[in-house]
Amino acid sequence: MSHFFKKVENDPVLPSLIYRRRTSNDGRPRSTASMVFAWTVAIMVVAWHPWIAPASAQNGGDPYATSGISTGYSSGPPIAIQGLPTWSGATPTWLSGARFPNLGMPNVGNPFGYLPGQGATSTRLWLRAEYLYWITEGMQTPALVTTSPDATAQASAAILGLPNTSVLFGGGEINDDGTSGLRIKSGFFLNRSGAFGIEGEYFGLASQDDGFSASTGRAILGRPFYDTTFDRETAQLIDFPGVVDGSLSITSDSKLRSFLLAGRASLCPTCGGNCVTCQNTDRVDWIVGYRHLTLEDGLSFSENLTSLNPAAPGEIQLSESFQTENEFNGLQLGVTYQANLRRVWLESLLRVAIGNNQQTARISGRTSITEFGTTETYDGGLLAQRFNSGKFEREQFTMIPEVGLTLGVRLFDWLYATGGYSLVYLPAVIRAGDQIDTDINPGLLPPEDNPLTGSNRPRFRFIESDYWAHGLNAGLQLQF
């Protein structure tokens, strides 16, 4: 049986692939209705009287501090209202900022119209959702598709290194454009001082993809490789006048995902980092937890070829796939500092994850050849052959640093607009494009020569590179 695609020396054509009771002034018990009315008026006076001010203001601090833990309320001049009891001395427990911190919501101006009572969880729970626009490190690939001018001789067509050959796809970075994403962060302070809490975070970037597609009818199109048998550059022809008419499709994708679950501990465990006692309106938190992160890449090839050579008629369908995954699991350590200004806060973040990165590469190829009405299917393609196909795994210790800066602006006591910048760096990861070996022994092209002579190429070996993702984020933060 003749195979027209085995002409490697001059014209290789083979394809590739988220209550307490009160009394009146005369000592008689008040009626329930009068008590409700009296306390209603008292609450309104407390909420709006200018003498009742945040402790930070009375101490010369920021009257608009919007920290995660604020100073709450302190006692002011006695409030005397006819028919109501007079407060003097210490402020009642239910207004004491030292007993219940104010995280910025809900307070004076709260649209829900209440003040937090003792034992409430108001302002201890927060939720932030952010839109991300990040730029990432692209995936390097060798030259994957080449062409030559019309009338180029078959022996010189689409061969790298020749002056008339140009690269149509590959030979640099792909999947390196900006991409959108989503980040959701939520946390809950376990005690009223806000000294200890838990938080979770998830972010993911939309899949980045580049590709190439050429249908039949193009004059000259090829897939270059290095022939180890004849020690020279050559090409598998996809389109060439009078020899082969074919189509080629190449797709790629890159995806980054991360999940975090951690505990937070304030640098000042007595007051949560923001109280009258310490005269501190800012806060610093330590972070300790678990981090999971995955980076996935893929490159797929698909060819359909028809021979135009009457002496070797037939068709070929070929597919190849190169997939890589970096799965990190480890300990998350970090620190955050939040500076509180009038109606804004500025948070800086420094984290590093320490742990294990499991690297996995999957390479496969399949070729179907039809000649004289008979179809035969073989393992292997052009770049995916016997010696580099399969699943390859190994584990590597690594550290993933991360920095961030976020500005929050108070819109309401319970809502903030946020914006900022983030950078994540992943050292020593494997990418699909780096795992392609373009040194090929033509004797391995389906059907494989028997006996096989020459080198066992292409072959697999782990090749690492560094990856980073950085960019801007904008969102909203709710506090409950």
Side-chain angles (χ1 to χ4, degrees), residues 261-475:
L261 184 62
R264 293 178 69 124
S266 172
L267 182 63
C268 181
T270 302
C271 63
N274 186 2
C275 71
V276 178
T277 304
C278 294
Q279 296 292 306
N280 179 23
T281 60
D282 300 341
R283 72 177 285 137
V284 178
D285 285 352
W286 301 108
I287 299 173
V288 180
Y290 163 75
R291 182 74 173 265
H292 174 82
L293 184 147
T294 59
L295 171 64
E296 299 175 323
D297 288 307
L299 263 173
S300 297
F301 303 80
S302 179
E303 297 181 9
N304 288 280
L305 307 179
T306 300
S307 174
L308 301 179
N309 185 351
E315 296 179 351
I316 297 176
Q317 290 80 43
L318 180 150
S319 61
E320 292 179 301
S321 176
F322 292 78
Q323 305 289 329
T324 58
E325 179 182 35
N326 298 270
E327 182 177 9
F328 173 85
N329 291 279
L331 175 67
Q332 179 72 73
L333 302 173
V335 61
T336 64
Y337 171 76
Q338 181 171 299
N340 298 290
L341 309 176
R342 284 188 173 269
R343 294 186 181 274
V344 303
W345 48 260
L346 183 63
E347 178 188 80
S348 56
L349 168 72
L350 176 61
R351 298 193 298 210
V352 59
I354 305 172
N356 178 71
N357 179 26
Q358 180 167 315
Q359 301 173 342
T360 304
R362 297 176 179 88
I363 301 174
S364 63
R366 180 63 59 91
T367 300
S368 294
I369 302 173
T370 301
E371 292 181 306
F372 306 107
T374 301
T375 301
E376 295 181 85
T377 301
Y378 305 90
D379 289 332
L382 175 66
L383 300 174
Q385 295 291 347
R386 175 154 61 98
F387 295 105
N388 69 332
S389 292
K391 180 180 179 180
F392 307 89
E393 294 179 296
R394 72 174 182 179
E395 296 182 351
Q396 297 285 93
F397 173 81
T398 191
M399 295 188 295
I400 302 177
E402 177 184 3
V403 296
L405 192 66
T406 302
L407 178 69
V409 179
R410 186 174 67 186
L411 303 179
F412 303 99
D413 286 346
W414 51 276
L415 181 65
Y416 294 84
T418 65
Y421 170 83
S422 300
L423 167 66
V424 180
Y425 177 73
L426 285 70
V429 296
I430 60 171
R431 311 292 302 273
D434 291 329
Q435 314 314 309
I436 297 176
D437 182 6
T438 57
D439 288 355
I440 295 175
N441 178 354
L444 286 168
L445 299 179
E448 181 180 317
D449 288 349
N450 188 15
L452 177 67
T453 60
S455 65
N456 298 332
R457 302 292 294 270
R459 67 183 179 188
F460 176 82
R461 59 191 180 99
F462 284 98
I463 298 179
E464 297 178 333
S465 60
D466 295 340
Y467 176 88
W468 46 260
H470 73 118
L472 304 177
N473 50 272

Side-chain angles (χ1 to χ4, degrees), residues 155-208:
S156 304
I159 295 178
L160 285 176
L162 297 182
N164 63 342
T165 299
S166 56
V167 177
L168 298 180
F169 187 73
E173 286 191 350
I174 61 174
N175 298 351
D176 58 346
D177 295 331
T179 185
S180 298
L182 175 68
R183 180 165 59 193
I184 299 176
K185 304 176 72 173
S186 182
F188 180 75
F189 289 104
L190 302 176
N191 60 344
R192 293 185 178 91
S193 70
F196 302 99
I198 57 174
E199 68 175 5
E201 174 186 310
Y202 168 83
F203 80 79
L205 300 180
S207 179
Q208 296 171 276

